[in-house]
Amino acid sequence: MSNAVETDETDRLIASNKVEGTAVYGSDGEKLGHVYNFMVDKRSGQVEYAVLGFGGLFGMGENYHPLPWNSLTYDTGKGGYVVNVSKDRLQGGPSYRANEEPAYDRDYGRRINDYYGVTGTY
């Protein structure tokens, strides 16, 4: 019989429900927000974006900021992800509110990747 840890996490894999809610920190150590969810490419199965929940109180008034997944690094000491983005840069980046979710099409993907200076699949 397996226990919950074995089914939710291995040495190299983790279940999505354990990633969602994980803290995200800037390189200066300041907590920027949390992983709200992430976007997976249906064809490749690769995670393209972590959607960072930022601001608000108890989920009310929260903004969502998609970050290229490869811009996040997991830090075991912090128990969360670290991204080399300042709070100001994050606030100026592509974002949306809960009732305004964008279409994750090629143009939006390019906009995200261009803003954060990464090469993406779009």
Side-chain angles (χ1 to χ4, degrees):
M1 179 164 241
S2 65
N3 68 38
V5 173
E6 292 172 343
T7 59
D8 286 350
E9 187 172 354
T10 69
D11 62 334
R12 64 176 207 73
L13 299 173
I14 189 166
S16 61
N17 64 325
K18 289 191 78 174
V19 175
E20 292 170 356
T22 302
V24 177
Y25 300 91
S27 55
D28 62 358
E30 180 181 7
K31 183 178 177 187
L32 298 175
H34 65 278
V35 176
Y36 173 72
N37 66 14
F38 48 90
M39 303 300 289
V40 178
D41 182 287
K42 288 181 181 180
R43 292 184 176 96
S44 72
Q46 300 297 309
V47 176
E48 294 290 326
Y49 303 101
V51 180
L52 178 74
F54 177 77
L57 184 61
F58 305 116
M60 301 287 290
E62 191 168 53
N63 288 318
Y64 301 103
H65 298 256
L67 296 168
W69 182 256
N70 60 3
S71 69
L72 282 84
T73 303
Y74 190 76
D75 183 323
T76 56
K78 288 186 173 17
Y81 293 94
V82 176
V83 64
N84 191 21
V85 174
S86 70
K87 190 175 193 175
D88 289 339
R89 179 108 173 114
L90 178 69
Q91 287 176 319
S95 67
Y96 59 92
R97 294 176 112 14
N99 59 347
E100 302 170 341
E101 189 166 343
Y104 277 88
D105 58 12
R106 289 181 188 270
D107 289 336
Y108 193 69
R110 276 191 206 103
R111 196 168 128 220
I112 295 166
N113 291 341
D114 289 349
Y115 184 82
Y116 291 106
V118 300
T119 303
T121 57
Y122 291 96

